[in-house]
Amino acid sequence: MVNAVVTDLLRRLEQHFGHALKPLTQGSEARTFGTDGLVCKIYGPKPAWPHQPAGAYAAHLEAANMSKAGLGAWVVEAFELDGHGILVTRRFPGHNFEPQNFTPEALKSLQEFFCQLHQIPEMGVVSRQRLEARLEQFGGTLHDLSEAQALVERLEGHLEEVAGTPQAFCHRDPHAGNVLLRDPGAPSNVPAAFLVDWVRACPDDPARDLAILTTGTLDLLGEEQALSALRFIVRGYPDAATLWPRLRFWVPLTYLHDMHWFRTNEPEGFEAAVAEKMPKALRFYWEFPEL
């Protein structure tokens, strides 16, 4: 978005709300501003990334996804303004995930929320062709890393366990920037943990959602605590016995995805990403415990 355009939009939105808008975050798809008690998310008229929703469609899609996830009470309105999509939600009284603020209550809140979310059935099953394409893609990007090649080969042996899994409604991006923890002084009837940024939500394997949660959020607790938290969450699922083994595929695959992302998008951070993520991927796969 051009700065002059954003400035004009903000002026008109401030008139609409009767309050000043302060910048909160600038994500890959939208820019976010806040007032007292409200969050205003602005989607540009053109996609920031190929195949990503934009404009009013993105704002209405995210509002619909939040409602589907049981968060409709947090949605205030979604509308179009000069080709931009505007999503307005109530402001959650919390901040981004930080290990020192992660409480047992927050862990229980995450368990209950993901269990409920993943009970929403969707059409179709996990595609073997899509999984094979991802493995081939990561194997190509990481062609010069022998450990990555060996891991891709091992994961190919698990395709039968994952392909054909019935899909459920998934957030698909529960990294630490999208997981909020309730402020200490907030009302007790507010969830202890809360997920934002629902524009990418769609049908997928619940185990993939939990793998992203693990690598992008729980890992900040340290590997041992992350595994303990993941085990606690999965034990709340009615199909825990079949979900847990699929994580042996999805968690290492997610680490491979992260390394692939750095090589293709931020190559200056690639070596550090490999040094951090490759050992974690290998340990998770080779030391994968019983539930």
Side-chain angles (χ1 to χ4, degrees), residues 59-235:
H60 285 284
L61 175 63
E62 183 163 11
N65 284 340
M66 289 182 67
S67 295
K68 187 173 182 176
L71 303 176
W74 293 87
V75 177
V76 177
E77 59 181 331
F79 58 95
E80 181 178 356
L81 185 60
D82 291 345
H84 293 75
I86 313 296
L87 173 66
V88 183
T89 62
R90 291 169 49 211
R91 190 167 183 172
F92 181 79
H95 291 83
N96 287 123
F97 181 98
E98 293 181 352
Q100 64 270 25
N101 296 330
F102 190 58
T103 64
E105 187 181 7
L107 176 58
K108 180 65 175 174
S109 181
L110 283 178
Q111 181 199 55
E112 292 173 350
F113 182 79
F114 275 106
C115 285
Q116 180 181 10
L117 180 71
H118 293 153
Q119 294 308 304
I120 301 173
E122 295 281 4
M123 295 180 61
V125 298
V126 175
S127 164
R128 182 187 179 102
Q129 183 179 7
R130 179 167 63 97
L131 297 178
E132 290 174 336
R134 296 295 272 173
L135 286 171
E136 181 179 359
Q137 180 185 34
F138 300 156
T141 304
L142 307 174
H143 60 90
D144 53 341
L145 301 179
S146 59
E147 290 180 319
Q149 295 300 307
L151 183 56
V152 166
E153 184 176 346
R154 296 297 304 186
L155 295 180
E156 287 173 346
H158 294 269
L159 288 174
E160 291 298 330
E161 300 172 24
V162 181
T165 299
Q167 297 189 126
F169 190 50
C170 293
H171 181 278
R172 296 187 82 241
D173 200 20
H175 63 77
N178 288 334
V179 179
L180 305 183
L181 301 179
R182 184 180 65 202
D183 287 335
S188 59
N189 62 341
V190 172
F194 189 82
L195 266 68
V196 298
D197 197 357
W198 284 88
V199 74
R200 298 185 186 184
C202 67
D204 211 326
D205 184 351
R208 184 186 183 191
D209 242 7
L210 296 182
I212 299 170
L213 179 72
T214 300
T215 62
T217 301
L218 300 179
D219 258 8
L220 297 176
L221 302 170
E223 285 180 77
E224 185 175 343
Q225 279 188 272
L227 182 60
S228 176
L230 178 61
R231 182 186 279 115
F232 176 84
I233 291 172
V234 172
R235 283 175 175 169

Side-chain angles (χ1 to χ4, degrees), residues 26-47:
Q26 180 171 344
S28 59
E29 296 101 356
R31 298 180 67 169
T32 306
F33 299 84
T35 72
D36 290 339
L38 294 178
V39 172
C40 180
K41 194 169 184 179
I42 303 175
Y43 283 95
K46 295 182 179 180

